[in-house]
Structures are given as structure tokens and as C-alpha cells.
């Protein structure tokens, strides 16, 4: 049997997070999200986040947490284990964990990152955990989007392409 790929060492169950974070170089940058279908916007965002510190911790919404975000009943398309593996395989990411709550606030309090980041669609004052991070002397940033990409838009494009191949939303062949 082959040894697991090296990126799997970056996966960390929430209950082991404390010991793993202590081993990370500081400052630690923390971000979170679903990261369902990775695209250029995601990887650029994560690269920019990583540049703000010495290590990057990404916390993923669990499948149940992601469903509660209201992005659609079928989301996430990729299960947590697959999303975590893909994010962990990225060179800019140092550690990947997950949370089942609606927000990552408990993880943020446990990790005490020096830098907390979210994407440009968030106002800095609305970022969950921002008050806590600023309270212990850390920084909170919203990273502007560089590539207008959206997983929701990508899912819609895939859905429309599938419907077109089937002959429309009814599933019946078109009569042309």
C-alpha cells in the first residue's frame, strides 16, 4: 500500500487544531469558506491571503454548515473530505480544518490568528471574528476580487449546458 500524498498531512480535525496551530510559523492567517468547486478566483484569493503572513489556515464549512448558507439544496457539490483534500493540495495552504457551526467564530477564538481575511464581498466590519482578532492586536482584511468568478455562477453554467444537451429544461429533445 502506498503512503498517503504529502498534502494529506495538512488536514487537521478541529479537536487537534490547537497542537497543530502551535507548530505553524507566525503570523498565522485565517480564512474560511465552502470552496466547493475550486476556480481561479479561489486560488488567487488564497495566494493573496497567504502573502499576509507566514502560514495560512483554511477552515471549511462542513457539508451541513454549507447547506445552511442557502446556496441551494444540492450544495455543496463536493463532500467535505474532497473539498478539504483539494484545498490542502494547494501550495499556499499550510493547514485545513472544518467547522459545523454557522460561523467559524469558535475556531477563530481557539486559533487566535494574527490576521483574519475574507473575500472582497465582505465589509471588514462585518467579518465574523473581526472584533476578537482586533482585540488581541491582530489585523482584519477583505481581499479584493481579482477575477470575477463564482461557484454559484459556474454551477448555473453547467446546469444550462446540461439542459441544452438534453433539449431544454423539460428533458425532451427540441424539434428544430
Amino acid at each position: 500500500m502506498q503512503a498517503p500524498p504529502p498534502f494529506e498531512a495538512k488536514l487537521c480535525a478541529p479537536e487537534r487544531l490547537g497542537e497543530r496551530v502551535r507548530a505553524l510559523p507566525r503570523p498565522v492567517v485565517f480564512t474560511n469558506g465552502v470552496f466547493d468547486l475550486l476556480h481561479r478566483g479561489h486560488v488567487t484569493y488564497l495566494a493573496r491571503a497567504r502573502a499576509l503572513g507566514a502560514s495560512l489556515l483554511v477552515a471549511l464549512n462542513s457539508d451541513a454548515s454549507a447547506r445552511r448558507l442557502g446556496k441551494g439544496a444540492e450544495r455543496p457539490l463536493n463532500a467535505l473530505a474532497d473539498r478539504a483534500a483539494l484545498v490542502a493540495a494547494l501550495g499556499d495552504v499550510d493547514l485545513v480544518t472544518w467547522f459545523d457551526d454557522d460561523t467559524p467564530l469558535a475556531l477563530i477564538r481557539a486559533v487566535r490568528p494574527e490576521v483574519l481575511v475574507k473575500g472582497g464581498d465582505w465589509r471588514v466590519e462585518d467579518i465574523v471574528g473581526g472584533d476578537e482578532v482586533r482585540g488581541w492586536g491582530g489585523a482584519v482584511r477583505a481581499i479584493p476580487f481579482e477575477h470575477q468568478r463564482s461557484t454559484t455562477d459556474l454551477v448555473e453554467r453547467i446546469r444550462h449546458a446540461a439542459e441544452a444537451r438534453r433539449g431544454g429544461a423539460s428533458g425532451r429533445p427540441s424539434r428544430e
Side-chain angles (χ1 to χ4, degrees):
M1 182 166 184
Q2 288 185 315
F7 70 80
E8 290 201 14
K10 296 180 185 180
L11 302 174
C12 180
E15 59 271 12
R16 295 198 56 229
L17 196 55
E19 66 188 76
R20 296 287 302 276
V21 168
R22 282 191 291 279
L24 290 176
R26 296 289 187 163
V28 170
V29 179
F30 182 105
T31 193
N32 68 280
V34 177
F35 297 98
D36 193 4
L37 295 177
L38 284 182
H39 52 68
R40 185 178 186 182
H42 287 137
V43 297
T44 301
Y45 165 76
L46 292 171
R48 299 292 185 226
R50 173 60 175 78
L52 296 174
S55 54
L56 176 61
L57 166 60
V58 179
L60 300 177
N61 294 74
S62 70
D63 295 343
S65 174
R67 279 191 289 278
R68 290 192 302 270
L69 293 175
K71 295 185 179 206
E74 75 282 357
R75 300 279 302 279
L77 297 173
N78 284 308
L80 174 62
D82 295 328
R83 293 183 286 121
L86 289 171
V87 172
L90 299 174
D92 288 309
V93 175
D94 296 287
L95 199 58
V96 177
T97 193
W98 51 90
F99 60 97
D100 197 42
D101 296 332
D102 289 343
T103 74
L105 185 57
L107 284 180
I108 293 166
R109 287 177 172 152
V111 170
R112 295 181 61 92
E114 287 81 5
V115 183
L116 175 63
V117 299
K118 287 294 285 179
D121 53 337
W122 282 81
R123 295 180 336 155
V124 170
E125 58 269 18
D126 294 334
I127 295 175
V128 172
D131 290 341
E132 288 77 4
V133 172
R134 282 187 294 274
W136 58 66
V140 181
R141 302 279 184 266
I143 297 176
F145 292 139
E146 293 182 49
H147 305 283
Q148 295 303 313
R149 304 289 189 273
S150 157
T151 300
T152 301
D153 291 346
L154 181 57
V155 168
E156 281 302 308
R157 285 178 42 213
I158 293 168
R159 184 175 288 127
H160 288 302
E163 288 173 358
R165 283 191 199 97
R166 287 192 314 260
S170 68
R172 295 187 303 262
S174 62
R175 298 180 187 183
E176 293 181 17

